[in-house]
């Protein structure tokens, strides 16, 4: 049932080329310039006319929501707020006419997310679900939605659901942007063409970096702390990389926007601190190069996820993991792959059952 893999977690990481193809199947056809999410159609106009989008989720799903914030703002020019479901539900949140809520949940059963959906509904909001488990409670409570079609995710650490959630949010943002005219038809064509190459690029990365990351994991299995730094679209990936490491290897890790370093965490840097940079060549690249230099000057041990052909960061880092280029908005789906593998391989040295880390449950149905 693990398909020859030692753990479900690794199997699910390697399933991503397929799960991402499944997320797009029947929805995108780049040659025909076609992108439709069937489950959205009935309420799509609400999203197009939204004054604001509120995205709700917990854990990894909340991280996917943060990527969604960048996507909706970039492509659809709609302001977005991303909220922990648990915080949202216990405040007295302001929900106005014209607000649209998107709830993200792999299991569709997370108690806080479900309660937040019910609360928003009681205040008159239209709610979209982005879920994996078909027929679960959250999709039943929402007005409309799109499944990510990742297939069963058994490892407690969410991997293929995260990339599936981002893929569905990307499709939503592109549909809305096209309908609103915030992206031109030619840009739209170019973007969906690129999006359909993502599963192949994920497949390429998995095979290219697997043994290198095993080696890096050996090298860092004794570390007690890690920092993950990214900017822009890859700031949420820094958070996700840190969460993956914490939950399956029990190593303390924090993710930060790279520019926040100088506001405190830089005090932690010494020759024992591994720092993982997520630094593809995008609009923030030059800024992140300076951040890498700041860490280097303080002797931090630098691991960097960069694009193939990178020179500047390669010269500074102890290890660089090279991935192919894509549009900056799609890069989180690629950059998170090496981070999932890194957590997994470090965890295999330290933890009995990577699929079932201590104290965690696959779906958190209690608050
Ligand atoms: C992280 C993880 C958790 C879940 C969170 C939300 O790997 O598994 O942080 O992401 O409990 O779960 P869902 O998406 O089922 O609502």
């Amino acid at each position: 049932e693990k398909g020859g893999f030692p753990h479900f977690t690794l199997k699910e990481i390697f399933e991503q080329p397929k799960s991402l193809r499944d997320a797009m199947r029947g929805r995108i056809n780049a040659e025909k310039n076609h992108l439709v999410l069937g489950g959205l159609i009935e309420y799509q106009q609400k999203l197009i006319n939204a004054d604001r989008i509120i995205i709700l989720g917990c854990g990894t799903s909340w991280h996917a929501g943060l990527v969604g914030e960048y996507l909706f703002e970039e492509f659809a020019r709609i302001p977005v707020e991303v909220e922990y479901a648990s915080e949202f539900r216990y405040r007295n949140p302001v929900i106005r006419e014209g607000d649209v809520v998107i709830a993200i949940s792999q299991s569709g059963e997370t108690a806080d997310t479900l309660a937040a959906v019910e609360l928003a509904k009681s205040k008159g909001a239209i709610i979209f679900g982005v879920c994996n488990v078909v027929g679960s409670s959250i999709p039943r409570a929402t007005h409309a939605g799109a499944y990510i079609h990742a297939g069963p995710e058994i490892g407690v650490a969410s991997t293929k659901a995260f990339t599936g959630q981002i893929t569905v949010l990307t499709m939503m943002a592109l549909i809305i942007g096209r309908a609103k005219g915030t992206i031109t038809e030619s840009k739209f064509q170019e973007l969906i063409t690129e999006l359909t190459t993502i599963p192949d690029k994920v497949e390429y990365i998995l095979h290219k970096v697997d043994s290198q990351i095993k080696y890096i994991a050996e090298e860092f299995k004794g570390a007690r702390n890690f920092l993950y730094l990214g900017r822009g679209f890859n700031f949420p990936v820094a958070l996700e990389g840190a969460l993956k490491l914490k939950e399956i290897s029990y190593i303390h890790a924090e993710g930060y926007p790279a520019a926040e370093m100088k506001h405190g965490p830089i005090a932690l840097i010494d020759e024992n601190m591994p720092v993982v940079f997520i630094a593809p060549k995008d609009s923030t690249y030059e800024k992140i190069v300076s951040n890498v230099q700041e860490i280097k000057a303080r002797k931090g041990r630098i691991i960097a996820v960069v694009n193939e052909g990178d020179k500047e960061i390669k010269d500074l880092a102890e290890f660089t993991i090279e991935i192919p280029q894509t549009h900056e908005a799609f890069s989180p789906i690629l950059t998170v792959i090496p981070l999932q593998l890194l957590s997994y391989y470090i965890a295999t040295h330290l933890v009995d059952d990577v699929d079932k880390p201590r104290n965690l449950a696959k779906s958190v149905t209690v608050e």
Side-chain angles (χ1 to χ4, degrees):
E1 49 179 13
K2 292 181 193 153
F5 289 95
H7 296 99
F8 284 109
T9 305
L10 189 62
K11 171 175 178 263
E12 288 159 8
I13 291 170
F14 271 86
E15 264 169 8
Q16 288 174 106
K18 176 178 185 301
S19 60
L20 295 175
R21 283 180 198 115
D22 290 345
M24 296 185 210
R25 175 159 303 118
R27 294 168 161 178
I28 287 201
N29 183 326
E31 279 108 70
K32 297 200 172 119
N33 212 15
H34 168 94
L35 173 58
V36 174
L37 289 168
L40 242 60
I41 293 169
E42 195 184 341
Y43 287 92
Q44 196 157 300
Q45 206 55 44
K46 296 277 182 196
L47 256 177
I48 293 167
N49 297 334
D51 296 322
R52 179 173 72 144
I53 294 173
I54 300 169
I55 301 182
L56 303 173
C58 303
T60 288
S61 296
W62 182 77
H63 295 156
L66 289 178
V67 177
E69 172 175 19
Y70 288 80
L71 289 165
F72 283 105
E73 296 197 353
E74 171 83 10
F75 295 135
R77 306 302 300 145
I78 301 173
V80 178
E81 280 168 38
V82 189
E83 303 256 11
Y84 284 116
S86 57
E87 285 298 315
F88 179 85
R89 65 178 285 205
Y90 288 118
R91 283 211 307 276
N92 185 8
V94 178
I95 298 174
R96 291 174 297 239
E97 216 184 315
D99 287 345
V100 164
V101 170
I102 300 174
I104 307 177
S105 176
Q106 187 286 129
S107 62
E109 300 295 348
T110 300
D112 280 323
T113 311
L114 182 59
V117 165
E118 298 293 1
L119 174 67
K121 211 156 82 174
S122 74
K123 292 181 180 274
I126 294 292
I127 327 242
F128 291 84
V130 175
C131 298
N132 190 34
V133 178
V134 177
S136 54
S137 301
I138 293 168
R140 282 190 277 119
T142 52
H143 296 94
Y147 285 110
I148 64 172
H149 297 309
E153 192 182 64
I154 294 167
V156 162
S158 185
T159 52
K160 62 179 179 169
F162 178 70
T163 49
Q165 290 162 342
I166 297 176
T167 302
V168 166
L169 293 168
T170 303
M171 291 190 283
M172 288 174 80
L174 291 174
I175 289 170
I176 306 310
R178 178 190 211 181
K180 288 183 67 175
T182 45
I183 33 183
T184 61
E185 237 354 76
S186 64
K187 187 75 192 167
F188 177 83
Q189 169 83 62
E190 184 190 314
L191 287 165
I192 66 168
T193 304
E194 178 59 26
L195 187 59
T196 54
T197 69
I198 292 293
D200 289 349
K201 288 182 179 173
V202 169
E203 190 159 6
Y204 171 83
I205 293 168
L206 283 165
H207 293 103
K208 180 177 178 185
V209 307
D210 187 55
S211 51
Q212 183 196 8
I213 293 183
K214 264 186 216 159
Y215 179 82
I216 298 174
E218 244 339 300
E219 196 67 22
F220 286 92
K221 65 186 182 202
R224 292 318 306 146
N225 297 284
F226 263 79
L227 277 177
Y228 287 74
L229 301 176
R231 302 178 81 117
F233 279 94
N234 283 298
F235 152 55
V237 176
L239 299 183
E240 175 61 6
L243 177 63
K244 283 296 84 97
L245 189 70
K246 276 184 269 216
E247 64 180 333
I248 60 174
S249 75
Y250 313 154
I251 295 174
H252 169 244
E254 287 191 63
Y256 263 97
E260 276 293 307
M261 277 306 293
K262 59 174 85 55
H263 300 287
I266 200 157
L268 295 167
I269 306 302
D270 63 16
E271 66 282 1
N272 298 315
M273 179 64 95
V275 182
V276 180
F277 277 96
I278 302 114
K281 203 133 198 166
D282 61 18
S283 58
T284 69
Y285 181 76
E286 290 308 326
K287 298 280 170 200
I288 215 161
V289 171
S290 327
N291 300 133
V292 174
Q293 282 160 342
E294 287 155 14
I295 299 299
K296 174 96 176 167
R298 289 158 185 87
K299 303 194 166 49
R301 297 188 68 186
I302 299 161
I303 304 164
V305 177
V306 298
N307 282 136
E308 290 170 337
D310 182 282
K311 288 197 179 60
E312 287 180 69
I313 294 181
K314 209 170 177 163
D315 283 347
L316 298 165
E318 185 175 348
F319 294 99
T320 48
I321 301 160
E322 296 191 15
I323 63 167
Q325 231 149 16
T326 184
H327 188 282
E328 132 169 39
F330 307 153
S331 71
I333 307 174
L334 303 186
T335 53
V336 77
I337 304 290
L339 305 188
Q340 294 170 342
L341 288 170
L342 182 64
S343 308
Y344 172 78
Y345 286 121
I346 292 179
T348 56
H349 292 288
L350 304 173
V351 167
D352 285 339
D353 188 353
V354 176
D355 287 337
K356 290 199 193 66
R358 66 185 180 203
N359 309 340
L360 289 170
K362 183 64 187 163
S363 83
V364 184
T365 53
V366 293
E367 60 169 279

